Amino acid sequence: MKSKYSLVTKSLVLAAIAGAVALSVAWSQGQVPEARAAYHTAREISSFRSVNGLPLDSNANTFFAGSGHCNGCHGHDPSEYAMVSADGRDVNVSDAWRSSMMANSARDPFWRAKVSHEVLVNPAHQVELEDKCTTCHAPMGNFEHHFTGQGPYSIAYLEQDDIARDGVSCVPCHMQKEEGIGNFFSGNLQLDTAGRPIYGPYADEDIFPFPMQDFVHYSPRYGAQILDAGLCAGCHSLLTGTVDLDGNLTGDEFVEQATYHEWLNSEFNNEEHPATGITCQGCHVPLLDDTVGVVLSANYVFLQPKSPFGQHHFSGANTFMLTMLKDNGDTLQVTASQAQFDTSIARAERMLQQHTLMVETSVPWRDADTAFIDVKLTNLAGHKFPSGYPSRRAWVELLVTNAGGDTLYINGEPSADHDIVGHDPIWEPHYNVITSADQVQIYEMVMGDVNGDMTTVLERAKQPLKDNRLAPAGFSVTHTTYDTTQIVGGAAADLDFNHDEIGVEGSGTDVVHYHVPMGGNTSLINITAKVWYQTAPPRFMQEMFLHTSPEIDLFQGMFQAADNTPVMVRRATQTDMTVGIDDLRELGVHVFPNPVRNGMLNITGIDGRVTAIEVYDAGGRKVTERKGTNERTWGTRLPGNGTYIVVIRTAERSFVERVVSL
């Protein structure tokens, strides 16, 4: 185990303890100690605050401090005492955050191009559009402007404003009022400016407030809201006004995204489902898995570790844009290093490939004419997949080959130009049954204008023409949030969509039924199902690239130079050697009861073909597994109510059963 601090730095720490103790005593008596000048020189403070170009607040700024101020204490500690985990890893919040999409929300060249696109389409709305868009992408610049009576905020202001380009920085999240949490949306952040509080998850009596009060003029306080999913609601549920093709407001509103409301309408909602609930922070600001905790501030050796500690990863799925930011760092003036971007990209890939989706294949029936192949997708996320801005899409590729590896059938193959082979010219409907290779199952939201035509201009969007994005487990059309989280189009009538085998709603699954022509082949076939994900599909850009502006032209050049290969989220493979039924029942295994009402799950019919049995909760965490037994039956007690996924593995394939415990 790596020491909290090296032998070299240990002597420096010991030398500082006497002064630090005196400093602590003076601060605890409510005084700003004279010893401070000796402990932190002006040069030291400047050094703390200027690491890698993180911004400070300007003299004219009243309410917000840039991340450069926070970095001084909560960034990398050269002494390796603060912001270090028990096993010696540097977990400082500044470096974890600075290469995230949150930190780069105002530098995001796609966002800048889209704002420009919207303004070019409706130039009379420029003031309103830029002011609205910057509330979430550049909140400190926007709200400072409004709080000081300067009126609407613009992209022109942003370009000259260091703290605006700091994106979704520390203060806008940690300054939110408790009473506003989960009640205000569309960029209407409820910020507590009275007394300049900074809210965190630790009790007031455990906070040593004086350094923050003295150096950055904020008062750290306990705030339960910092761990509440509603902290994210202000920006991650967004309604926009609709205009017709002449730019006239129609009075309609369009749900651009409702990630927070999708979470409310799920088993992850910890208020409605305390046994299985996971907040947004639980996935995107994951707690450090140790009980020792972390010293939160550098330069104060008397501070004790705090636990739990939320790692400020803010991992999502946007590897494409993170890579573009990394590759164009000088042009976009990012503050993160390439190594830091690599870390965030790797985290996003893990989020996508390990915590987002399960895929399984089965062959309910097969004869010499047709193989009936089912591909089942299970959403493991606490919101729809994909979620967020409507450009994002996921789709299924199905490949069937013979024993020699020759392709018998392929559907949904990524094309050389990063689109999808067989994609309809405009947009693809939702399918329950696929009977042709050019019918591709694409999970997405398609925006429609006042005439019912597809559009990628957000202000023209009136209603979705399609929304078959995979629902989270527990999702219901009767939930109070359904008006903002609707299933639209063919998926709404698909009996397999978000319904289990017996028709119970809330499964978070979809089963796609493929009718694959066999042409007389009755021998072995290999089946591979892949799910691909893409944040910036080329066809979504076509409408914007018909226009020109500095922002659009800059992004277009970066986009054309980028590798837009979709990310493979998950794959499942199966070798089918039979002509007939091939499923869990044929294996002879029975999982019961379902639903489980007394907590006890039983599995019978196990033989030597079964190599493993694992049980996962709705969040994808393994809760138990069968070990070291040759018994034909196995029973296990589920840890609580909720949805569980039972995986039964053989040498050839895995079978997945969803079980509900009541």
Side-chain angles (χ1 to χ4, degrees), residues 239-302:
L239 277 67
T240 57
T242 300
V243 301
D244 62 23
L245 302 191
D246 295 322
N248 302 308
L249 288 166
T250 66
D252 298 303
E253 286 187 320
F254 179 76
V255 183
E256 184 257 21
Q257 66 175 280
T259 309
Y260 172 69
H261 285 82
E262 294 162 10
W263 172 86
L264 287 174
N265 191 356
S266 78
E267 287 187 354
F268 287 69
N269 181 343
N270 59 329
E271 293 184 0
E272 295 185 11
H273 306 278
T276 58
I278 302 173
T279 65
C280 310
Q281 293 88 329
C283 291
H284 300 284
V285 189
L287 295 179
L288 191 66
D289 189 20
D290 69 45
T291 57
V292 175
V294 173
V295 175
L296 298 183
S297 179
N299 315 309
Y300 306 102
V301 295
F302 50 83

Side-chain angles (χ1 to χ4, degrees), residues 393 419-428 440 442 444 539:
R393 67 181 182 183
D419 207 332
I420 307 170
V421 175
H423 194 308
D424 281 359
I426 306 300
W427 55 278
E428 197 89 19
V440 183
I442 305 174
E444 61 186 344
R539 66 176 56 215

Side-chain angles (χ1 to χ4, degrees), residues 550-625:
E551 294 83 3
I552 293 174
D553 296 346
L554 177 66
F555 174 66
Q556 185 172 10
M558 293 178 178
F559 184 82
Q560 292 172 344
D563 179 3
N564 200 8
T565 302
V567 180
M568 189 176 69
V569 180
R570 202 76 167 185
R571 65 180 288 167
T573 60
Q574 175 185 355
T575 298
D576 186 81
M577 296 175 287
T578 64
V579 176
I581 296 173
D582 185 9
D583 60 14
L584 188 59
R585 288 168 297 187
E586 183 181 85
L587 187 65
V589 174
H590 182 42
V591 180
F592 69 97
N594 191 11
V596 177
R597 298 188 182 276
N598 64 357
M600 197 68 191
L601 177 68
N602 300 290
I603 302 177
T604 62
I606 306 168
D607 63 20
R609 291 174 295 175
V610 176
T611 59
I613 301 176
E614 301 157 350
V615 181
Y616 296 82
D617 64 16
R621 294 181 296 270
K622 185 189 293 184
V623 297
T624 187
E625 64 182 335

